[in-house]
């Protein structure tokens, strides 16, 4: 079957409807709503009506015009919200699936910095970033928080590609002025200037895209991106904190890595012997705040987690790369339920080898089972993650981490329609029961599904990926 990733240039204002089986994250963490018969009306990219029973559907059908185009899906399909990937390194897509043999600090020097340095060449960056965004879309990811590189121009290329493909993206030009590599480090002043230039560029692109889509949230957001504490001088961190304050009203985001691994924690201790750790240093410079996504956080103390909650900062849990680098796992469920921290999932391409959020979901389940092995039955209950909890975290959890739970992450009236249509007859998917059970089809998708099952992807109600002729 031919797959195509469409290039979106303009917003269609049409009204259309979609009918079928929905799986919808609820307001309670980890709890999903299974809707056997649902009908959503999408108007100008937003859900304007949502009927969840046969009788509500019949009523709603009386209201909509017979000419309203409707996608009607039988029991071979599921409609689910698109994935929100909170942590992706766009340039590292070049070596995705490899480089799984070194600890973090050596991995940076041997694989990461050389790969990132190549993005200086705009042709190389254009080719790679196009491939990455296509890949994310065909894996059902509708929003992603991306690190680019230290290069301003190729970071702008990533912005343009996301905008062109209709992908919801939070993009950072990386800032780092020490402990990088040869030809892969910036002067402090240049780093601050190009970070500000990048914010202004994104704001320009955003206002263009916003004026063509009034009422919808903007698709492209700039992110202030200190790589991590070891590669940033205090002066740089301070300057980036000032920029976060300056552009707060424009909705600028911040991202970095926090308490990621034993070797990173030791490196920070050597550089900042008087500081308690990453949380104290970021917080001192005003970088822990609303719209701040910190990756990993596996070595955060309970007090640190309180600071994360109080500052409105979020965590990107990257279970796959944590398994390779962190030496520990994040207690995902406790962070959300006990500490009230906003947590979503990230693939961490390419520290995590897979660009699919299904892989992150599965690994978060496996990691929680492994953590639970050494614990009492009571503790297991508090830390266990199942497929439903993982999916909730990968969708609405990510939306909350972005402070966008009013706009994306689930299906509700007023939210934007970011969604995937899942086929239950492709790939590894096989049903042997005579009865069709929605919850089992969904569990099978989380555990066995892949891009073959994801046949259509929508962002803001726009079809952005389509396996031609599938429905
Ligand atoms: Zn990372």
């Amino acid at each position: 079957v031919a797959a195509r990733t469409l290039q979106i240039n303009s917003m269609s204002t049409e009204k259309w409807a979609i009918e079928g089986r929905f799986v919808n994250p609820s307001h309670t963490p980890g709890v999903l709503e299974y809707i056997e018969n649902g009908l959503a009306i999408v108007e100008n990219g937003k859900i304007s009506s949502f009927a969840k029973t046969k009788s509500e559907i019949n009523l709603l059908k009386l209201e909509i015009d017979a000419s309203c185009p409707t996608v009607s899906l039988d029991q071979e399909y599921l409609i689910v919200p698109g994935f929100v990937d909170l942590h992706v390194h766009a340039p590292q897509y070049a070596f995705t699936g490899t480089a799984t043999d070194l600890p973090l600090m050596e991995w940076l020097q041997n694989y990461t910095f050389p790969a990132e340095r190549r993005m200086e060449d705009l042709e190389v960056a254009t080719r790679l970033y196009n491939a990455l965004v296509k890949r994310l879309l065909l894996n059902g990811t509708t929003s992603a928080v991306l690190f680019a590189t230290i290069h301003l121009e190729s970071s702008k290329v990533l912005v343009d590609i996301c905008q062109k493909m209709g992908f919801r993206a939070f993009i950072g030009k990386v800032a780092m002025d020490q402990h990088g590599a040869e030809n892969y480090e910036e002067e402090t002043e240049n780093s601050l200037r190009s970070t500000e230039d990048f914010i202004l560029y994104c704001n320009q692109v955003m206002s263009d895209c916003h004026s063509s889509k009034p009422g919808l949230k903007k698709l492209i957001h700039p992110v202030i991106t200190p790589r991590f504490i070891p590669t940033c001088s205090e002066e740089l961190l301070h300057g980036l904190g000032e920029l976060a304050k300056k552009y707060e009203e424009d909705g600028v985001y911040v991202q970095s890595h926090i308490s990621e691994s034993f070797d990173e924690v030791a490196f920070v201790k050597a550089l900042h012997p008087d500081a308690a750790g990453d949380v104290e240093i970021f917080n001192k410079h005003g970088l822990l705040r609303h719209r701040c996504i910190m990756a990993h956080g596996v070595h955060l103390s309970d007090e640190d987690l309180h600071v994360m909650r109080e500052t409105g900062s979020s965590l990107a849990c990257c279970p796959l790369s944590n398994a390779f680098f962190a030496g520990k796992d994040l207690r995902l469920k406790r962070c959300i339920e006990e500490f009230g921290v906003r947590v979503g999932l990230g693939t961490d391409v390419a520290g995590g080898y897979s660009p699919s959020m299904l892989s992150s979901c599965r690994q978060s389940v496996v990691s929680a089972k492994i953590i639970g092995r050494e614990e009492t039955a009571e503790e297991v209950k508090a830390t266990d993650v199942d497929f439903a909890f993982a999916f909730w975290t990968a969708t609405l959890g990510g939306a909350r981490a972005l402070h966008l739970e009013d706009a994306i992450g689930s299906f509700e009236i007023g939210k934007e329609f970011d969604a995937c249509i899942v086929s239950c007859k492709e790939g590894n998917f096989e049903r042997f029961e005579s009865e069709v059970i929605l919850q089992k089809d969904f569990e099978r998708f989380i555990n066995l599904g892949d891009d073959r099952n994801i046949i259509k992807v929508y962002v803001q109600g726009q079809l952005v990926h389509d396996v031609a002729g599938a429905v």
Side-chain angles (χ1 to χ4, degrees), residues 229 234 268-269 271-282 284:
I229 286 173
E234 292 256 5
V268 172
K269 195 73 207 159
L271 295 170
H272 302 267
D274 299 329
D278 289 7
V279 162
E280 184 184 313
I281 300 165
F282 280 128
K284 182 170 84 179

Side-chain angles (χ1 to χ4, degrees), residues 48-175:
S48 58
S49 305
F50 192 19
K52 300 179 184 180
T53 62
K54 270 188 180 157
S55 55
E56 283 174 13
I57 289 174
N58 290 338
L59 278 176
L60 188 56
K61 278 187 174 168
L62 295 175
E63 282 173 36
I64 54 172
D65 203 302
S67 65
C68 176
T70 302
V71 178
S72 285
L73 301 164
D74 63 20
Q75 294 195 325
E76 297 291 347
Y77 301 95
L78 305 170
I79 305 156
V80 302
F83 290 110
V84 178
D85 187 339
L86 288 185
H87 194 60
V88 179
H89 291 271
Q92 295 175 22
Y93 188 53
F95 63 83
T96 189
T98 68
T100 52
D101 60 338
L102 291 176
L104 183 62
M105 294 304 154
E106 291 169 56
W107 175 85
L108 284 171
Q109 291 297 337
N110 283 277
Y111 302 118
T112 304
F113 293 153
E116 295 195 11
R117 199 158 43 211
R118 284 196 285 278
M119 297 306 111
E120 200 176 6
D121 182 333
L122 296 186
E123 260 178 56
V124 175
T126 303
R127 212 176 320 127
L128 185 70
Y129 292 164
N130 260 308
L132 170 73
V133 178
K134 275 181 194 163
R135 177 64 56 190
L136 293 173
L137 281 172
L138 70 89
N139 278 311
T141 299
T142 49
S143 299
V145 183
L146 302 156
F147 278 59
T149 60
I150 64 172
H151 314 103
L152 176 61
E153 292 309 315
S154 74
S155 300
K156 290 181 185 173
V157 165
L158 183 56
V159 169
D160 296 344
I161 288 169
C162 293
Q163 156 83 353
K164 190 180 66 189
M165 292 199 193
F167 187 56
R168 194 186 296 277
F170 305 78
I171 306 172
K173 187 215 80 81
V174 172

Side-chain angles (χ1 to χ4, degrees), residues 21 75-76 430-438 440-441 444:
R21 302 188 301 164
Q75 294 195 325
E76 297 291 347
E430 279 177 281
R431 261 193 211 133
F432 295 108
E433 305 95 348
S434 51
E435 207 185 344
V436 174
I437 300 165
L438 172 55
K440 285 194 178 183
D441 278 349
R444 244 179 236 119

Side-chain angles (χ1 to χ4, degrees), residues 347-390:
T347 55
D348 196 6
V349 163
Y353 51 71
S354 168
S356 165
M357 285 290 281
L358 285 167
S359 171
S360 297
C361 287
R362 290 167 200 156
Q363 185 62 40
S364 72
V365 171
V366 172
S367 295
K369 302 284 177 213
I370 292 169
I371 294 173
R373 275 185 196 161
E374 290 162 24
E375 299 186 330
T376 63
E378 192 74 350
E379 286 166 337
V380 167
K381 222 174 148 192
T383 56
D384 192 44
V385 170
D386 65 2
F387 69 95
F389 198 95

Side-chain angles (χ1 to χ4, degrees), residues 278-289 307 311:
D278 289 7
V279 162
E280 184 184 313
I281 300 165
F282 280 128
N283 207 17
K284 182 170 84 179
H285 295 295
L287 290 161
L288 293 186
R289 54 208 292 288
V307 176
T311 54

